[in-house]
């Protein structure tokens, strides 16, 4: 699972399963925290029921706001476009203030 970056946004797709061990969850949370500390907003896409539940159990939802988790890539991109349009700045869309 390698994030794709566009400007100051990283997309991570999780189409099959979430981190299955505490170690892999810690690595993913560490990556999310590092990206966010660098000013990169992180969004997750292809996250469905069981994956979402596992993300909650592993603490991933504490690192990523639930509003940045989407069931499809299309919905994630639409939300990012709407945020960019509302702020008038595509590179800062979804970024933490």
């Amino acid at each position: 699972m390698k994030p794709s970056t566009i400007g100051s946004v990283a997309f991570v797709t999780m189409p099959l399963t979430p981190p299955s061990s505490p170690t892999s969850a810690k690595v993913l949370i560490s990556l999310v925290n590092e990206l966010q500390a660098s000013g990169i907003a992180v969004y997750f896409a292809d996250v469905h029921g069981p994956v979402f539940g596992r993300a909650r159990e592993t603490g991933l939802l504490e690192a990523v706001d639930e509003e940045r988790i989407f069931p499809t890539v299309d919905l994630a991109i639409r939300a990012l476009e709407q945020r960019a349009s509302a702020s008038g700045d595509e590179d800062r869309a979804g970024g933490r203030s």
Side-chain angles (χ1 to χ4, degrees):
M1 181 176 7
K2 181 180 176 188
S4 301
T5 59
I6 302 171
S8 59
V9 176
F11 287 98
V12 180
T13 57
M14 298 176 65
L16 298 176
T17 60
S20 57
S21 73
T23 302
S24 60
K26 286 180 186 178
V27 168
L28 182 57
I29 291 167
S30 177
L31 172 63
V32 167
N33 289 335
E34 186 177 323
L35 289 168
Q36 290 179 147
S38 297
I40 298 173
V42 178
Y43 290 78
F44 283 82
D46 275 346
V47 179
H48 302 282
V51 175
F52 190 82
R54 185 71 179 137
R56 184 182 307 270
E57 291 169 12
T58 62
L60 182 59
L61 294 186
E62 293 175 21
V64 177
D65 297 330
E66 288 188 37
E67 66 196 31
R68 294 186 182 171
I69 300 175
F70 298 90
T72 68
V73 172
D74 185 56
L75 288 175
I77 291 172
R78 285 183 193 185
L80 179 62
E81 289 173 342
Q82 288 176 349
R83 290 175 188 171
S85 203
S87 71
D89 184 356
E90 291 185 23
D91 286 339
R92 291 185 42 95
R96 293 186 183 254
S97 302

